């Protein structure tokens, strides 16, 4: 009986056509190993390496845009909700009908105090939180606390608003610091991926030249600040325009016109003895239904949740696992001293006057210009459009931070301060008449130009990053001088 041939050929034996297969490659024990496991004939190692680092650079750009968009949505929701609620709470009829004798103005003042005063303690624990959670997770947790603040406005009571405001105040500085550190780290990684050939020639222990990533940091900061500025809650750039959407598409339908709200206002601008003297205590023509308020707050909550997903899903890690510094190797004493040790840098001490000025110029834009000149003369219903003009002017002018690639750092700082000085002198001699709309174009032009000066100031301070200086250290130091101007636009509204 004949043996049945095996279904599969035994390894190492000759095939039916001899010692070569159909492709002409020798088979059997004498087959060359390189023909089987060698490199692809058309493989170009240099080209593949170039494509690999190109994908890495695109990933860094994706991280920068995701962080910028997440910050824009977060602060747009936070500021839009805060501004809308404070205007509603200003109306006497709204307070009496909806809240009775609950003491809503006292709750609002304590809520704003929690947002403004609590961050002072953040100078101590911010480095600890960033070291413990990591840069990306600190951003995610801080954005989540902002979403928590939005959710508490569904049920406005003392035990919901004030604790959430305190929690928000505790998360403000960690959010700014982690975002500043994240953008700085992305600039460093982009430099590494752009100069990978130079890195291969260096030893693993050798660091890049000091300040080598500064040009990329200027570009990334210009992109970041055109979307979002974390130094002041009342001074984002594009996020400030997004914050006006609830007022434009919802609240303006319930507001009285300027003839009612400005009926007792006698003077504006430089002739006024204060901000909105004689402004009417009732600004709502009809009270918004609770169902409509819930719909608006639900939309804002959904946007805040989207910002959390952007940070979580699209922002990559700032450091590799081997680059994270163990807390035990640093020491708790050194960690708590980190925000204060940087004051020894004389360059940072020379910028302290600009930090203080940065807070007060935004305070003037949101109170003196928008309220003392804008609302006082053209009505509360046009406040959102004035602030949008200011925000868009600042956002578009953030690209002027790229001038730091060719000009000294002092040029944009002095240019922004000089522009504000000229506008201040012009406004000092101008007193618009109440309830007159003929000069509204002057207000829009002044708001845009003030935004240009703010952009020059902010990008000059933050984008002009000093070599070897971590951005989040600078943000923590900035906070001490600017916290007094943070959300003061709210009570004035």
């Amino acid at each position: 009986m004949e043996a049945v041939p095996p279904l599969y050929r035994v390894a190492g034996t000759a095939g039916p056509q001899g010692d070569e297969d159909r492709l002409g490659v020798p088979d059997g024990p004498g087959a060359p190993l390189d023909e089987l496991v060698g490199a692809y004939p058309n493989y170009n190692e240099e080209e593949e390496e170039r494509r690999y680092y190109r994908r890495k650079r695109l990933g860094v750009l994706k991280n920068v845009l995701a962080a910028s968009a997440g910050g824009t949505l977060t602060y747009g929701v936070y500021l839009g909700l805060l501004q809308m609620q404070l205007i509603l709470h200003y109306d006497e009829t709204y307070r009496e009908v909806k809240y009775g004798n609950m003491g809503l103005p006292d709750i609002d003042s304590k809520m704003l105090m929690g947002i403004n005063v609590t961050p002072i303690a953040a100078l101590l624990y911010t480095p600890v939180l960033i070291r413990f959670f990591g840069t990306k997770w600190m951003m995610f947790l801080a954005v989540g606390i902002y979403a928590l603040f939005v959710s508490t406005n569904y049920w406005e009571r003392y035990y919901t608003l004030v604790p959430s405001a305190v929690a928000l105040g505790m998360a403000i500085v960690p959010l700014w610091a982690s975002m500043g550190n994240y953008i700085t780290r992305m600039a460093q990684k982009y430099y590494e991926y752009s100069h990978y050939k130079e890195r291969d020639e260096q030893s693993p222990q050798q660091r890049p030249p000091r300040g080598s990533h500064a040009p990329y940091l200027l570009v990334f900061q210009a992109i970041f600040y055109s979307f979002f500025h974390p130094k002041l809650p009342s001074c984002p750039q594009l996020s400030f325009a997004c914050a006006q959407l609830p007022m434009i598409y919802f609240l303006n339908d319930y507001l009285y016109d300027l003839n009612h709200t400005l009926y007792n206002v006698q003077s504006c601008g430089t002739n006024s003895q204060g901000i909105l003297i004689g402004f009417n205590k009732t600004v709502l023509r009809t009270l918004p239904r609770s169902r409509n308020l819930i719909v608006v707050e639900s939309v804002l909550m959904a946007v805040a949740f989207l910002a959390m997903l952007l940070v979580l899903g699209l922002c990559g890690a700032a450091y590799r696992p081997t680059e994270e510094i163990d807390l035990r190797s640093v020491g708790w004493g050194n960690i708590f001293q980190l925000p204060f040790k940087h004051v020894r840098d004389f360059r940072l001490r020379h910028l302290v006057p600009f930090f203080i000025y940065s807070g007060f110029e935004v305070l003037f834009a949101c109170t003196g210009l928008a309220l003392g000149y804008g609302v006082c003369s053209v009505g509360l219903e046009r406040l959102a459009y004035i602030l949008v003009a200011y925000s868009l002017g600042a956002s578009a002018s953030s690209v002027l931070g790229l001038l730091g690639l060719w000009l000294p750092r002092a040029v944009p700082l002095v240019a922004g301060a000089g522009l504000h000085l000229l506008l201040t002198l012009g406004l000092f001699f101008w007193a618009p008449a109440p309830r007159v709309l003929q000069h509204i174009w002057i207000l829009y032009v002044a708001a845009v130009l003030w935004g240009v000066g703010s952009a020059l100031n902010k990008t000059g301070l933050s984008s002009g990053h000093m070599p070897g200086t971590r951005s989040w250290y600078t943000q923590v130091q900035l906070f001490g001088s600017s916290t007094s101007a943070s959300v003061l636009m709210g009570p004035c509204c």
Side-chain angles (χ1 to χ4, degrees):
M1 185 176 179
E2 297 181 0
V4 179
L7 182 62
Y8 298 101
R9 183 166 53 86
V10 180
T13 60
Q17 298 179 2
D19 292 338
E20 292 186 358
D21 60 8
R22 288 176 295 180
L23 298 178
V25 179
D27 199 359
L33 187 61
D34 291 342
E35 296 291 341
L36 301 177
V37 298
Y40 186 72
N42 297 327
Y43 178 77
N44 188 337
E45 183 177 0
E46 184 176 353
E47 180 66 18
E48 290 297 325
E49 188 179 33
R50 187 187 66 82
R51 292 178 179 177
Y52 170 78
Y53 283 104
R54 179 176 177 270
R55 290 194 296 269
K56 288 290 187 180
R57 293 194 297 270
L58 291 177
V60 170
L61 293 177
K62 180 260 299 179
N63 294 339
V64 174
L65 292 177
S68 304
T72 299
L73 295 178
T74 301
Y75 264 83
V77 168
Y78 159 66
L79 285 176
L81 176 64
L82 189 63
Q83 180 176 330
M84 182 182 69
Q85 293 288 29
L86 290 172
I87 292 176
L88 290 175
H89 296 174
Y90 176 84
D91 188 270
E92 287 183 341
T93 306
Y94 182 86
R95 293 200 309 265
E96 293 176 0
V97 172
K98 194 166 185 179
Y99 296 98
N101 57 356
M102 195 177 66
L104 200 58
D106 181 63
I107 294 177
D108 288 340
S109 63
K110 291 182 178 179
M111 180 184 67
L112 293 174
M113 184 179 298
I115 295 175
N116 288 316
V117 178
T118 307
I120 297 176
L123 293 171
L124 298 176
Y125 61 77
T126 295
V128 179
L129 292 180
I130 293 180
R131 296 280 188 176
F132 184 79
F133 291 108
T135 303
K136 174 188 173 179
W137 287 105
M138 189 67 253
M139 292 167 54
F140 175 73
L141 292 174
V143 173
I145 293 177
Y146 275 80
L148 173 66
F149 176 79
V150 175
S151 66
T152 57
N153 282 267
Y154 282 107
W155 185 250
E156 294 177 311
R157 293 297 183 269
Y158 181 89
Y159 53 84
T160 58
L161 293 177
V162 176
S164 64
V166 173
L168 178 65
M170 296 178 64
I172 286 177
V173 176
L175 176 64
W176 307 340
S178 57
M179 282 194 168
N181 189 35
Y182 190 81
I183 298 301
T184 302
R185 181 56 189 159
M186 289 302 106
Q188 294 173 349
K189 294 177 74 171
Y190 197 91
Y191 172 81
E192 294 175 2
Y193 298 149
S194 299
H195 300 79
Y196 60 91
K197 293 184 179 180
E198 300 176 5
R199 188 183 61 178
D200 294 339
E201 298 174 358
Q202 298 173 351
S203 60
Q205 292 78 16
Q206 187 176 359
R207 292 185 175 183
R210 189 179 181 88
S212 56
H213 66 285
Y216 302 104
L217 181 62
L218 283 169
V219 177
F220 287 176
Q221 293 282 20
I223 296 173
F224 182 65
Y225 290 132
S226 65
F227 283 86
F228 165 73
H229 196 286
K231 189 175 73 62
L232 280 175
S234 60
C235 185
Q237 311 292 17
L238 191 59
S239 57
F240 208 14
C242 296
Q244 308 308 316
L245 296 180
M247 188 172 180
I248 293 175
Y249 291 104
F250 173 71
L251 192 59
N252 276 357
D253 296 335
Y254 299 93
L255 294 177
Y256 275 114
D257 61 1
L258 72 166
N259 293 321
H260 174 83
T261 56
L262 303 178
Y263 182 77
N264 294 322
V265 176
Q266 303 299 327
S267 60
C268 298
T270 187
N271 291 337
S272 179
Q273 302 298 321
I275 297 178
L276 295 181
I277 301 298
F279 195 72
N280 205 316
K281 295 296 182 180
T282 57
V283 296
L284 297 177
R285 178 169 39 86
T286 58
L287 299 184
R289 293 179 178 270
S290 298
R291 183 176 59 184
N292 296 338
L293 289 173
I294 292 176
V295 170
V296 174
E297 291 169 357
S298 300
V299 172
L300 295 176
M301 188 65 202
V303 176
F305 187 70
L306 176 62
M308 294 178 62
L309 294 180
L310 280 177
V311 175
L312 180 63
L314 296 183
C315 291
Y319 295 92
R320 304 181 186 93
T322 55
E323 293 175 335
E324 294 287 354
I325 301 177
D326 191 357
L327 285 174
R328 292 169 297 181
S329 64
V330 178
W332 291 100
N334 291 330
I335 292 174
F336 283 112
Q337 295 175 16
L338 285 177
F340 305 98
K341 283 186 175 181
H342 216 66
V343 184
R344 294 180 297 184
D345 195 323
F346 73 95
R347 298 168 296 180
L348 192 59
R349 292 199 300 266
H350 289 170
L351 291 176
V352 168
F354 281 97
F355 298 159
I356 300 174
Y357 159 73
S358 177
F360 282 102
E361 60 95 359
V362 175
L363 176 63
F364 176 78
C366 295
T367 56
L369 180 59
L371 299 180
Y373 283 85
V375 175
C376 181
S377 60
V378 297
L380 184 61
E381 64 272 20
R382 293 173 180 82
L383 171 64
Y385 301 104
I386 296 174
L387 295 178
V388 166
Y390 165 74
S391 176
L392 295 181
S395 178
S397 302
S398 294
V399 297
L400 297 177
L402 299 178
L403 294 175
L405 295 172
W406 305 282
L407 300 176
R409 183 180 187 180
V411 173
L413 290 174
V414 175
L419 180 58
H420 283 166
L421 178 62
L422 294 177
L423 286 173
T424 303
L425 292 176
L427 294 174
F428 182 77
F429 295 100
W430 183 46
R435 302 177 297 277
V436 176
L437 299 179
Q438 283 77 7
H439 55 263
I440 191 172
W441 65 273
I442 302 178
L443 291 171
Y444 288 135
V445 172
V448 171
L449 292 179
W450 197 276
V452 173
S454 297
L456 289 171
N457 181 42
K458 303 302 183 298
T459 54
L461 286 174
S462 302
S463 302
H465 190 64
M466 296 175 293
T469 302
R470 287 259 181 114
S471 175
W472 63 282
Y473 288 149
T474 306
Q475 298 295 342
V476 173
Q477 294 297 328
L478 287 176
F479 173 77
S481 61
S482 62
T483 184
S484 59
S486 53
V487 196
L488 288 180
M489 60 163 290
C492 297
C493 291

